Amino acid sequence: MSEKLDLSKFEKKMVIRQIEERDIDDIIQLQAQCFPNMIPWKKSQLESHLDHFSEGQFCAEFEGEIIGSCSSLLINFDEYDDRHTWDDITDNGYITNHNPAGYNLYGIEVMVHPKFRRMKIGHRLYEARKDLARRLNLKSIIIGGRIPNYHKFSEEMSPRDYVNEVMLHNIYDPVLSFQLLNGFTLMRINPDYLPDDKASKKYATLMEWNNIDYQPNTKMYFKTSFPVRICVVQYMMKQINSFEEFAKQCEYYTDVASDAGSDFAVFPEIFTTQLMSFLEEKVPSQAIQKLTEYTEDYIELFTDLAVKYNINIIGGSHVVAEEGRIYNIAYLFRRDGTIEKQYKIHITPNERKWWGVSAGDTVKVFDTDCGKIAIQICYDIEFPELARIATDAGAKIIFTPFCTEDRQGYLRVRYCAQARAVENQIYTVIAGTVGNLPQTENMDVQYGQSAIFAPSDFEFARDGIVGQCNPNIEMVIIGDVDLEILRRQRQSGTVRQLKDRRKDLYSIHYKNK
């Protein structure tokens, strides 16, 4: 009797899955095989796809080899010009215009290795897109399709005539014929869609697949605003006698912010150094060590306040001892009781000299119920690379707790925060300390004027200032920012700094992803 047949040696594994960062080099090589006469993806573009919409990027893996891939993003198609180009719809291939609330999936690339065609790889990738559209309840899938055989007929017929002949099955086009078989219908023909697509004579067919399971969501169609209310605390540094006194002041301001219906309450940088006013230690390096002993009390206080008053709190910053080092850390206390933290990345000479503060090394962007935000502590806002990295990761608001002792230092923070708002088309918020602690070395004088800044364009606040405190007095400022206006202005503002970046000339490479 013969031995039982081992079927495993006959098996071949085909997988359609989401693209991962380890696949990027293989996909760049695949594109060179599929489109040898076209400019291939840059690594930074594919990294950006994963950063902004990883679930919309698929690949086909056969026996451990990537043989096909497709890329896409979400948009509200009605917001784009009918005659848009591939660069317009993809932000030059970086999809930083991806809109998580969009109701159209826009496909920007499908490719299959020439050796593996006629294995229905493209069909499998299209089905993965359709499944995604159904799962996300999207209205449709839209693609700008090449017509790569058109160059053979361009002297005898117009693009419209060529497309009609393909639709009548009198001419075969490897892309358009495939799209029609997969249920896509023609919307229009766009000229100058892909400048390097010589085979299509730069034309593309705009095609759409309608999701028959789509359930309209009225809010998606008629969302006119996304207001976020921010309360900035300009905190007075003065002598206190206990942590309980400090906690009472913090609760008072949180209550004020909550009563005003604020989504965020923002406290200044290292305002917990007020606790040093009742510590007996006068040597700065030793006093800062004693201050770190209040870390758990500080975290418990603001966690409780965020939940009790139903408000997200940017808890200024606090010095923390970790593994034998001192860090300046800003905490986000969400109203659901969860906590995040951002280490200060750039340390001033003063912090090093007096307290021995160490630098953090990660730029973080945090999800909140009011969109994505970032925190950049004081000196960090003076380094434009950090804000650009945070913006590219989706941040719409950057909060900057600060502590400065003179007007010159304050203006550095202010001017840079305003510049970041303009160049990144985001909102920035600065919250500072005022007053003085005469008995506390290195914290004896403060200078500040807290404010909320917007980009500079017609739909935003005059002079780009949503609101600002009077300088050097204890008070709060409450202002509303609108994330929907921000989104619209990024698409159609007087200037569009994010869309108009020359990524073909320059880029920022963030090493610590």
Side-chain angles (χ1 to χ4, degrees), residues 181-197:
L181 285 172
N182 276 275
F184 283 77
T185 56
L186 180 68
M187 299 173 70
R188 67 179 69 91
I189 300 171
N190 281 16
D192 298 317
Y193 187 77
L194 267 175
D196 59 337
D197 186 7

Side-chain angles (χ1 to χ4, degrees), residues 482-495:
D482 195 320
L483 301 188
E484 178 62 17
I485 291 176
L486 192 73
R487 186 190 63 77
R488 290 201 303 262
Q489 288 297 102
R490 287 181 172 186
Q491 296 295 333
S492 57
T494 304
V495 291

Side-chain angles (χ1 to χ4, degrees), residues 232-235 253 434 468-471 473-477:
V232 185
V233 179
Q234 187 157 285
Y235 191 90
Y253 283 117
V434 296
Q468 60 184 342
C469 295
N470 295 325
I473 64 172
E474 185 174 23
M475 64 177 294
V476 302
I477 185 73

Side-chain angles (χ1 to χ4, degrees), residues 5 24 69 79 91 117 124 127 149 153 176 201 216 225 235 251 273 355 404 427 451 470 490:
L5 189 62
I24 288 177
S69 75
E79 297 172 1
D91 188 21
R117 288 171 184 167
R124 296 171 199 249
E127 287 301 308
N149 278 356
F153 302 87
L176 179 56
K201 296 292 183 179
S225 66
Y235 191 90
E251 182 163 11
T273 54
W355 297 334
T404 51
Y427 297 106
N470 295 325
R490 287 181 172 186

